[in-house]
Amino acid sequence: MSIISFLSKSSFDPEITDILAAAFDTAWERIKLSGSPLAEDEASGATREALARNIIAMAKTGVRDQNRLVEGALANIVLYPGGRGPAAGDTPIP
């Protein structure tokens, strides 16, 4: 899954779409390389969706710097009990 599937409801020009896709790919790679449980199979879909939504939300406010998009997306990932990604019925750790 790439960020492109989440962009269908947004209108960004091709250049911005490329920046968003690169930011998404970079953020996902950083999570995978960190060994985080957020990259494990049961959490990866929700984690990737959260990254995409965070990046798109920042882009809608005018953020275009790839590094800011990556850092912002990673900073807004929520951990759940056990340090893993979201699962049905979970309540985030405050």
Side-chain angles (χ1 to χ4, degrees), residues 20-31 51 66-67 70 74:
L20 302 182
F24 175 82
D25 292 341
T26 300
W28 178 241
E29 271 306 303
R30 286 182 53 187
I31 288 175
L51 285 174
Q66 183 178 331
N67 291 327
V70 170
L74 292 172

Side-chain angles (χ1 to χ4, degrees), residues 9-80:
K9 296 178 183 174
S10 303
S11 58
F12 295 104
D13 66 44
E15 181 181 343
I16 301 304
T17 299
D18 288 345
I19 292 169
L20 302 182
F24 175 82
D25 292 341
T26 300
W28 178 241
E29 271 306 303
R30 286 182 53 187
I31 288 175
K32 288 191 325 186
L33 292 172
S34 75
S36 170
L38 295 173
E40 293 176 4
D41 288 342
E42 58 275 353
S44 65
T47 302
R48 291 171 65 86
E49 180 176 344
L51 285 174
R53 292 184 188 282
N54 290 342
I55 289 169
I56 292 167
M58 287 185 294
K60 286 181 176 179
T61 68
V63 178
R64 299 295 186 262
D65 178 78
Q66 183 178 331
N67 291 327
R68 282 187 60 203
L69 291 166
V70 170
E71 295 303 322
L74 292 172
N76 286 302
I77 292 294
V78 177
L79 287 179
Y80 290 78

